[in-house]
Amino acid sequence: QSPVRVWGEGMGRSTFSCGAGNRPCEAWELQATAVITASSNTLMLPALIVAHKQGLRWEVAFGCFGVMTSMLYHIAEPLGVRIYGMNEGQWHRLDNVGAIMCFANLFVYLMDNRNPAFNDFLRLAMLFWCLIQQEKGPWQLINTLLPILGSVALLVAKLALFAKAPPEYQWGNLRVGLALLAVSFAFFARGLDNRNDYLRGYHSMWHVTISFASYWLWRVVLTHERKLHGGGGGGGHPPKHSQR
């Protein structure tokens, strides 16, 4: 037989497609989709190692959470199985929380605030907002985009209105990271048409390219990036200790 998987169990989806158009998927196609989409998340490991070496514990914790929940969601979804008693719809919500918070944490990092308590406040505020939006509707793209765009707005406001000097960035890393980020968004957009994304290849490439982008973007802020070089390097600028 050619099984069609049921999505979400009442959470707003009807059937799962492996990208084979309107025909039902073969069993091997469902299994291959699970393997490809789940395993593509492992490429985030180098970015997590870079963040860990900089002492970014909160960011690494949410990165690991995001990788784990994404892998479990992409196994549960095509195979129609429950993992730890939860269906693909429940894992999808947790996957969204992990992905949103990785972006929110990145934009807080790029603010280069020198006040750890303020950073904690921002990250927790974004987490609470993220949870509310995902409880409202994990299948609606706007509920994923709103917290991400909100964190972007905070970053722009910090740099445009409150920063007393240009940000201390490794600009080469930023350019590479943003270029890869743009590519990853293109793959994400192509993958939204899941009925024509065979074996979720475009979506898997989103995982691949966002992992590469993360590796470079988590090496942008010089006050952190210097830690990868034993406290020196990072573009040749001396350390500054001003509070911002």
Side-chain angles (χ1 to χ4, degrees), residues 50 53-54 170 173 215-216 218-237:
V50 163
K53 288 182 177 179
Q54 296 176 78
Q170 173 56 270
N173 290 352
Y215 175 80
W216 292 100
W218 286 112
R219 300 178 59 193
V220 166
V221 177
L222 287 175
T223 53
H224 293 288
E225 203 267 345
R226 289 189 189 101
K227 297 174 185 177
L228 296 174
H229 308 281
H237 297 285

Side-chain angles (χ1 to χ4, degrees), residues 1-3 24-27:
Q1 293 183 339
S2 300
C25 301
E26 300 289 342

Side-chain angles (χ1 to χ4, degrees), residues 48-72:
L48 293 175
I49 292 173
V50 163
H52 173 70
K53 288 182 177 179
Q54 296 176 78
L56 301 172
R57 297 180 182 85
W58 174 284
E59 293 81 355
V60 171
F62 263 100
C64 291
F65 175 80
V67 168
M68 178 192 72
T69 55
S70 182
M71 292 182 72
L72 294 176

Side-chain angles (χ1 to χ4, degrees), residues 5 14 18 22 29 45 51 66 127 141 145 177 226 233:
R5 294 265 53 95
S14 57
C18 61
N22 293 323
E29 291 174 312
L45 182 59
L127 174 59
L141 185 59
L145 292 178
R226 289 189 189 101

